[in-house]
């Protein structure tokens, strides 16, 4: 296990200082297969996840994500989550409720699962600082659109592969243009985000006290992003490629999880504010 973890760090650490990466527009955090020692018959679970994230311009984020999951039947799970977002930039804190996600996962068979979900624009995208400067998307509470999410997953005992699609509706009601205080951020005036296609591969294995899951996630932004009245954002289409590692420890009536995610390749323009260079997360999941 130590050898595997060392190889993982050797692959990803050289990219931490220069890669742009991404947080999650929604499709990457859809319900997925993992490793757990608890029975799936437990009907209700609560979860709390705390992340630390490093973004563009050395911006730091603290996300507190609260989740609720219900096992409606042997084949159907329903989950809901909502984050509290704190961003620290230039010695100032910006705190908001972020966008909520509702998802339903149906098991067609022991190997095949289908997930449908939606994101709701609860987080603000029109916030200003105390001086009246419009904030860039990286400092807003949410993404400002209703999004439909779809995922199909094929699972085996030690691995799974998933294909997902995210469709946002409408332009974002954000009017940020680079100004004297936020000169290094990308223009997001009435931003219209492109659709995303995701391909994820998970590899699971167990050690003495922990279960592990390594992930390779690629997200392709179709057609790119647009601002104003149809002005295309150059180099905003294309692929982002990310690696992740998660450790899971079973406790009484729940799980503890630790997660590390880093990018290795991304598209150059990201006006949606989701640029990240590293994400570290700790989570608790309790069954009721």
């Amino acid at each position: 296990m130590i050898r595997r973890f060392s190889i993982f760090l050797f692959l990803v650490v050289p990219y931490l200082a220069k890669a742009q990466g991404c947080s999650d527009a929604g499709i990457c955090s859809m319900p997925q297969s993992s490793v757990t020692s608890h029975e799936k018959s437990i009907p209700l679970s609560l979860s709390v996840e705390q992340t630390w994230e490093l973004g563009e311009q050395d911006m730091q984020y603290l996300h507190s994500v609260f989740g609720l999951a219900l096992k409606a039947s042997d084949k159907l799970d329903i989950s809901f989550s909502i984050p509290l977002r704190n961003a620290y930039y230039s010695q100032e804190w910006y705190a908001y409720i972020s966008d909520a996600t509702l998802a339903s996962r149906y098991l067609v068979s022991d190997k095949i699962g289908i997930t449908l979900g939606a994101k709701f624009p609860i987080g603000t995208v029109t916030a200003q600082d105390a001086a009246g400067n419009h904030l860039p998307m990286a400092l807003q509470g949410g993404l400002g659109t209703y999004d439909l999410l779809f995922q199909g997953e094929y699972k085996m005992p030690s691995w799974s592969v998933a294909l997902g699609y995210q469709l946002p509706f409408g332009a974002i009601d954000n009017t940020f243009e680079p100004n004297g205080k936020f000169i290094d951020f990308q223009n997001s005036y009435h931003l219209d985000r492109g659709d995303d296609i995701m391909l994820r591969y998970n590899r699971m294995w167990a050690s003495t006290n922990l279960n592990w899951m390594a992930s390779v996630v690629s997200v392709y932004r179709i057609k790119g992003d647009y601002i104003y009245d149809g002005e295309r954002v150059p180099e905003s289409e294309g692929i982002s490629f990310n690696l992740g590692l998660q450790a899971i420890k079973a406790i009484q009536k729940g799980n503890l999880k630790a997660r590390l995610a880093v990018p290795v390749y991304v598209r150059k323009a990201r006006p949606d504010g989701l640029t990240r260079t590293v994400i570290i997360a700790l989570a608790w999941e309790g069954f009721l």
Side-chain angles (χ1 to χ4, degrees), residues 99 121-125 137 142-147 169-173 193:
D99 298 339
I122 296 176
T124 181
V125 292
M137 285 299 295
L143 289 177
T145 58
Y146 289 92
D147 291 28
F169 290 91
I172 298 171
D173 190 22
R193 291 168 34 236

Side-chain angles (χ1 to χ4, degrees), residues 68-209:
L68 177 66
L70 172 66
K71 186 174 181 60
S73 70
D74 290 340
K75 292 182 175 294
L76 181 64
D77 297 319
I78 301 171
S79 62
F80 175 81
S81 65
I82 186 166
L84 300 180
R85 185 181 194 187
N86 290 274
Y88 181 74
Y89 175 71
S90 189
Q91 299 182 336
E92 293 185 52
W93 282 98
Y94 302 85
Y96 308 99
I97 295 176
S98 194
D99 298 339
T101 301
L102 178 66
S104 178
R105 181 168 181 257
Y106 180 76
L107 297 178
V108 179
S109 67
D110 292 340
K111 296 181 179 180
I112 299 175
I114 295 176
T115 304
L116 294 176
K119 287 200 71 172
F120 302 92
I122 296 176
T124 181
V125 292
T126 59
Q128 303 176 17
D129 67 5
N133 295 302
H134 292 278
L135 299 179
M137 285 299 295
L139 290 172
Q140 298 291 345
L143 289 177
T145 58
Y146 289 92
D147 291 28
L148 287 181
L149 310 170
F150 170 81
Q151 176 183 270
E153 182 184 26
Y154 183 82
K155 180 182 180 298
M156 295 297 286
S158 61
W159 59 271
S160 68
V161 62
L163 180 66
Y165 191 86
Q166 179 161 356
L167 175 64
F169 290 91
I172 298 171
D173 190 22
N174 175 272
T175 57
F176 172 77
E177 297 178 276
N179 53 52
K181 183 175 181 180
F182 303 106
I183 193 171
D184 295 322
F185 293 87
Q186 297 178 55
N187 193 326
S188 56
Y189 193 98
H190 291 172
L191 176 66
D192 189 351
R193 291 168 34 236
D195 301 358
D196 289 325
I197 295 177
M198 179 212 69
L199 179 64
R200 181 182 64 238
Y201 174 79
N202 292 335
R203 178 69 168 87
M204 291 87 77
W205 69 94
S207 61
T208 304
N209 297 313

Side-chain angles (χ1 to χ4, degrees), residues 1-278:
M1 184 62 244
I2 294 176
R3 180 175 178 270
R4 288 176 176 173
F5 186 68
S6 299
I7 293 173
F8 176 84
L9 292 179
F10 176 78
L11 290 173
V12 303
V13 166
Y15 293 93
L16 293 181
K18 63 181 181 180
Q20 289 181 336
C22 67
S23 179
D24 182 24
I27 192 65
C28 294
S29 61
M30 294 283 277
Q32 57 182 299
S33 299
S34 61
V35 183
T36 176
S37 63
H38 290 281
E39 293 295 330
K40 296 297 184 180
S41 59
I42 299 175
L44 188 64
S45 65
L46 302 173
S47 63
V48 179
E49 182 181 66
Q50 181 62 56
T51 74
W52 173 84
E53 306 168 16
L54 185 61
E56 58 186 302
Q57 312 303 326
D58 294 325
M59 187 179 302
Q60 298 187 57
Y61 296 92
L62 295 173
H63 275 97
S64 301
V65 185
F66 301 90
L68 177 66
L70 172 66
K71 186 174 181 60
S73 70
D74 290 340
K75 292 182 175 294
L76 181 64
D77 297 319
I78 301 171
S79 62
F80 175 81
S81 65
I82 186 166
L84 300 180
R85 185 181 194 187
N86 290 274
Y88 181 74
Y89 175 71
S90 189
Q91 299 182 336
E92 293 185 52
W93 282 98
Y94 302 85
Y96 308 99
I97 295 176
S98 194
D99 298 339
T101 301
L102 178 66
S104 178
R105 181 168 181 257
Y106 180 76
L107 297 178
V108 179
S109 67
D110 292 340
K111 296 181 179 180
I112 299 175
I114 295 176
T115 304
L116 294 176
K119 287 200 71 172
F120 302 92
I122 296 176
T124 181
V125 292
T126 59
Q128 303 176 17
D129 67 5
N133 295 302
H134 292 278
L135 299 179
M137 285 299 295
L139 290 172
Q140 298 291 345
L143 289 177
T145 58
Y146 289 92
D147 291 28
L148 287 181
L149 310 170
F150 170 81
Q151 176 183 270
E153 182 184 26
Y154 183 82
K155 180 182 180 298
M156 295 297 286
S158 61
W159 59 271
S160 68
V161 62
L163 180 66
Y165 191 86
Q166 179 161 356
L167 175 64
F169 290 91
I172 298 171
D173 190 22
N174 175 272
T175 57
F176 172 77
E177 297 178 276
N179 53 52
K181 183 175 181 180
F182 303 106
I183 193 171
D184 295 322
F185 293 87
Q186 297 178 55
N187 193 326
S188 56
Y189 193 98
H190 291 172
L191 176 66
D192 189 351
R193 291 168 34 236
D195 301 358
D196 289 325
I197 295 177
M198 179 212 69
L199 179 64
R200 181 182 64 238
Y201 174 79
N202 292 335
R203 178 69 168 87
M204 291 87 77
W205 69 94
S207 61
T208 304
N209 297 313
L210 295 173
N211 293 311
W212 297 85
M213 182 168 68
S215 302
V216 178
V217 184
S218 59
V219 180
Y220 190 88
R221 176 63 55 91
I222 304 174
K223 294 191 296 186
D225 303 327
Y226 292 81
I227 55 175
Y228 295 103
D229 294 321
E231 179 183 338
R232 180 177 171 274
V233 179
E235 299 181 298
S236 58
E237 76 284 351
I239 197 166
S240 297
F241 188 75
N242 305 273
L243 299 178
L245 181 66
Q246 182 172 242
I248 307 167
K249 180 176 178 59
I251 58 175
Q252 186 176 11
K253 293 186 177 181
N255 293 307
L256 294 176
K257 301 180 180 181
R259 177 168 58 93
L260 169 68
V262 293
V264 294
Y265 183 82
V266 295
R267 63 185 190 275
K268 292 184 179 180
R270 300 187 59 87
D272 52 20
L274 293 178
T275 294
R276 300 292 186 270
T277 56
V278 63

